[in-house]
Amino acid sequence: MQRPRRHSLLNVLLLLVGLLAAAPGPAQAQQLRLGGYAKNLGLRATSFFTGEAYVLDVSRLRTRGRIDLGSNLHGEAWLDTELLLGSFLATPDYAFSKSVERTAFADLDWTLAEGERYLLRQQLFRVFATAYVRGVQLTLGRQRIAWGTGFVWNPTDLLNPISPTAIERDEKAGIDAVYAAVPLGALSRAEAAFAPGRRGEEASVAVRAGANVKEYDVSVMAGSFRGDRVVGGDFAGYVGTAGLRGELAYTDADTGRAYVRATLNADYNFAGGYYTLAELHYNGAGTHDKARYNAAALLSGTLFNVARLYGALALSKAVTPLFGFSLYGLLNFDDGSGLAGPALSYSLAENLELALSAYVFFGAADTEFGAQKNVYFGAVQYYF
């Protein structure tokens, strides 16, 4: 009975967007915008299960349609068409990834063709409709609900978190949810979100309220996320010309364990065009003892990190108007392992970018990052 229910959600969303497009009104009040990008990403990595090297090439075409009907109705649909090629598709790593149960409520992806070393698939990366009524925003569908102020770790962003070691960290997955935002004043608002799960115990519901206090944006939140009860908050502001942000969440897990996760970061633009950001993270769900790391949870994606204390560093510099350099780094303070991610970017033409990067892991073989093998990747991306 669950599958028809999830497909009915897709039908409702498509109907909502269709109604926006077909609704009568003055021509000047109805705006349809099309855009997106074409991207080819290639990478070389090593199988976690066999230790053998593999390659993967991903060609993605994202078409994005946006429609506004006056100032009260808005709809979006992002369709990804992807062709995957390479030896990765024949690895046990790929087989394992397919066996992991998805948490998304709706089935918005499908396979067009598949072979031993190729896969052609499509998915609706985003599809939602938004109505504005007397300042109140109501959004239904697969959307991005971004809470928190962390750069790498977001203790309060539990609806759609992202792994610190993700290859495409800017590709932030959405969640199937109902979201509402109510303004409480010029600089304050209340938010609420409900995300149904594939099973009742997987549902999430949360509320958040924010205001401006002495030039700092401050928010508090509370909710139940897949059975875990969470309360927390975040802030963002400046100390002089440096940005300062932080967030904290207290979790009463359904397993009976309670823990705290907290993040603090600061960023600054130095003379000469150097941008730097440093972040510290305390993960109360982890452990100081590397012998007790939960490797199974890492593999399944239910946990992103297993230790207690972490740090992150980001550095970027535009060497020329066309050429840029950046460095992304992670450090596990408990076991001394980490990741160094240098990257180069070059603008080949207007709206056409080339990027080359690597994730270089270091540390002993029995540590969190030291157990992982280096990943080398590059991409060409055209925006339209």
Side-chain angles (χ1 to χ4, degrees):
M1 298 299 293
Q2 289 284 4
R3 183 167 292 274
R5 179 183 172 192
R6 293 194 294 271
H7 283 306
S8 67
L9 174 63
L10 172 59
N11 294 334
V12 169
L13 295 173
L14 293 178
L15 176 61
L16 286 172
V17 175
L19 288 173
L20 288 174
Q28 65 272 19
Q30 189 169 323
Q31 298 182 1
L32 176 63
R33 292 167 289 169
L34 299 175
Y37 69 73
K39 181 177 184 178
N40 181 264
L41 169 69
L43 65 87
R44 180 190 182 279
T46 303
S47 168
F48 176 84
F49 295 99
T50 68
E52 298 180 355
Y54 64 78
V55 295
L56 173 65
D57 182 87
V58 180
S59 297
R60 179 187 305 129
L61 174 64
R62 172 170 296 168
T63 52
R64 183 171 58 200
R66 302 180 180 183
I67 186 166
D68 292 295
L69 197 62
S71 58
N72 297 323
L73 295 174
H74 174 81
E76 292 192 25
W78 304 15
L79 176 64
D80 285 0
T81 302
E82 292 185 331
L83 175 63
L84 281 64
L85 302 170
S87 55
F88 170 72
L89 300 177
T91 64
D93 306 64
Y94 174 64
F96 179 82
S97 68
K98 292 199 299 181
S99 69
V100 175
E101 185 176 4
R102 296 177 298 175
T103 59
F105 176 73
D107 287 327
L108 302 184
D109 58 274
W110 53 94
T111 298
L112 300 178
E114 185 174 15
E116 182 179 354
R117 297 201 176 192
Y118 72 89
L119 173 66
L120 181 61
R121 65 188 182 188
Q122 288 183 313
Q123 70 161 328
L124 281 165
F125 192 72
R126 298 272 195 279
V127 55
F128 61 87
T130 298
Y132 299 93
V133 181
R134 296 182 179 178
V136 177
Q137 174 188 342
L138 180 64
T139 301
L140 170 66
R142 179 160 294 179
Q143 57 191 289
R144 174 68 181 168
I145 302 175
W147 288 357
T149 55
F151 174 72
V152 178
W153 296 279
N154 294 105
T156 63
D157 189 0
L158 299 174
L159 291 171
N160 35 27
I162 184 171
S163 170
T165 59
I167 297 297
E168 296 181 281
R169 296 193 65 254
D170 57 339
E171 290 291 318
K172 300 182 185 298
I175 188 170
D176 304 323
V178 179
Y179 169 81
V182 182
L184 302 177
L187 299 174
S188 60
R189 60 190 280 165
E191 302 169 83
F194 170 70
R198 295 202 167 199
R199 293 182 292 270
E201 65 272 17
E202 295 177 346
S204 297
V205 58
V207 293
R208 183 174 186 252
N212 186 268
V213 180
K214 295 183 178 180
E215 299 184 357
Y216 273 77
D217 293 325
V218 179
S219 297
V220 294
M221 58 81 66
S224 175
F225 299 88
R226 292 172 286 278
D228 294 343
R229 294 157 296 281
V230 182
V231 294
D234 61 77
F235 73 89
Y238 288 89
V239 176
T241 57
L244 181 66
R245 310 170 195 85
E247 57 181 295
L248 179 146
Y250 172 84
T251 300
D252 181 13
D254 63 353
T255 58
R257 182 188 178 193
Y259 56 87
V260 171
R261 298 174 64 231
T263 295
L264 181 68
N265 71 49
D267 64 346
Y268 187 76
N269 285 292
F270 287 92
Y274 290 93
Y275 170 80
T276 58
L277 179 141
E279 184 165 292
L280 296 174
H281 178 63
Y282 173 78
N283 175 32
T287 174
H288 294 295
D289 183 4
K290 62 184 179 182
R292 298 171 56 197
Y293 285 171
N294 190 344
L298 279 178
L299 283 174
S300 65
T302 56
L303 285 179
F304 293 144
N305 293 113
V306 290
R308 285 283 180 91
L309 299 175
Y310 291 91
L313 175 68
L315 168 69
S316 63
K317 160 71 173 175
V319 181
T320 72
L322 300 179
F323 175 69
F325 167 80
S326 64
L327 177 66
Y328 173 64
L330 301 176
L331 179 63
N332 178 328
F333 287 110
D334 289 312
D335 64 24
S337 65
L339 173 159
L344 301 174
S345 62
Y346 186 76
S347 180
L348 298 171
E350 186 177 3
N351 299 331
L352 181 62
E353 295 182 357
L354 170 67
L356 299 174
S357 187
Y359 279 176
V360 180
F361 297 95
F362 59 88
D366 61 347
T367 58
E368 178 179 4
F369 296 116
Q372 303 184 52
K373 303 300 181 182
N374 297 346
V375 182
Y376 306 94
F377 52 99
V380 178
Q381 188 165 2
Y382 174 74
Y383 300 89
F384 58 87

